[in-house]
Amino acid sequence: MDGNGRWAVERGLPRLEGHREGVERIRVVLETLRSLGVEHVTIYAFSTENWGRPQDEVEGLMSLFFVAVEEQTRELHERNVRIVHLGKTANLDPELRGAVEDAQRLTAANTGITLNVAFDYGGRDEILQAVRRIIRDGLDPDALDEETFRHYLFTAHSPDPDLIIRTGGEQRISNFLLWQSAYSEYYHTPTLWPDLLPAELEQALEAYRARQRRYGKVAGPGA
């Protein structure tokens, strides 16, 4: 969800106001994607590297996340949304950690769209944690295959992403779903996250549908 800070600066506002607007944008994006038939959505809310931001911004983001979880969980539950946290919780304030656990517990049986919230998440860290769990479980190295490995990832409950939308004009992966995105399609847009409208989401999905996914194989005749 790139561009929150720039959105605020362009309007002469504190960066935190951009993050606040970005949190509100999640509602619109989620409802739009749900209406378009998308079943799994992952939002990259806070990376393992984001701890290196100014302390006041980090504290503000933690506060915003807590308020969002507290205020939106009930509404999302009523809309049959399943909430799943991706990442670590050990570094979170106990109150925030409890709110995240409550949100997951409340919505665990919901059968509508799954909202994966990547918070204190990093792709490399996810892979390292998966390897550590595999070692602890004593798996036979020769028996380890890709399907077994994916069950040790945070996203074991969701399919690999078909499409990754990168807002704010950024052109890099940024440590996001490194294993899962091996064959994901990318859609890059200069639009800042708080300005992302339903029409552009529809455009992104149309662009995805027009692509031919070959997964490293040769395309058919005439392709």
Side-chain angles (χ1 to χ4, degrees), residues 20 23 62-73 96:
R20 195 184 312 278
V23 169
M62 292 297 152
S63 178
L64 277 178
F65 187 50
F66 176 74
V67 171
V69 173
E70 285 283 283
E71 293 183 351
Q72 297 185 23
T73 294
L96 175 54

Side-chain angles (χ1 to χ4, degrees), residues 139-215:
L139 266 68
D140 178 359
D142 293 329
L144 182 62
D145 55 21
E146 290 188 8
E147 184 61 24
T148 301
F149 186 82
R150 73 176 298 275
H151 283 290
Y152 281 85
L153 297 172
F154 296 141
T155 55
H157 59 283
S158 287
D160 291 343
D162 294 307
L163 175 67
I164 295 178
I165 300 174
R166 190 76 202 249
T167 59
E170 303 294 355
Q171 300 289 321
R172 57 185 180 274
I173 298 174
S174 293
N175 203 16
F176 180 63
L177 299 179
L178 297 180
W179 175 277
Q180 300 90 330
S181 64
Y183 280 101
S184 300
E185 296 290 327
Y186 273 78
Y187 179 88
H188 297 271
T189 174
T191 302
L192 304 179
W193 172 259
D195 289 329
L196 189 63
L197 299 175
E200 184 160 12
L201 285 171
E202 294 179 15
Q203 179 180 324
L205 265 64
E206 284 300 320
Y208 164 76
R209 293 189 186 101
R211 299 178 190 179
Q212 186 178 54
R213 305 180 72 189
R214 297 190 292 272
Y215 300 96

Side-chain angles (χ1 to χ4, degrees), residues 40-128:
H40 297 263
V41 176
T42 301
I43 57 173
Y44 202 3
F46 190 88
S47 74
T48 51
E49 292 76 27
N50 286 157
W51 291 107
R53 292 188 176 189
Q55 186 61 29
D56 60 340
E57 184 171 345
V58 171
E59 291 176 355
L61 285 167
M62 292 297 152
S63 178
L64 277 178
F65 187 50
F66 176 74
V67 171
V69 173
E70 285 283 283
E71 293 183 351
Q72 297 185 23
T73 294
R74 178 60 59 178
E75 175 186 343
L76 293 174
H77 177 54
E78 292 174 353
R79 294 186 179 183
N80 200 27
V81 176
R82 180 187 180 194
I83 301 172
V84 180
H85 173 257
L86 307 186
K88 296 182 291 189
T89 59
N91 296 326
L92 304 183
D93 176 271
E95 191 175 27
L96 175 54
R97 189 186 312 128
V100 170
E101 292 171 353
D102 289 344
Q104 292 188 104
R105 187 162 43 247
L106 176 65
T107 64
N110 289 347
T111 57
I113 192 169
T114 294
L115 173 62
N116 296 318
V117 182
F119 198 91
D120 198 7
Y121 170 88
R124 288 181 173 179
D125 178 69
E126 177 183 29
I127 292 171
L128 281 174

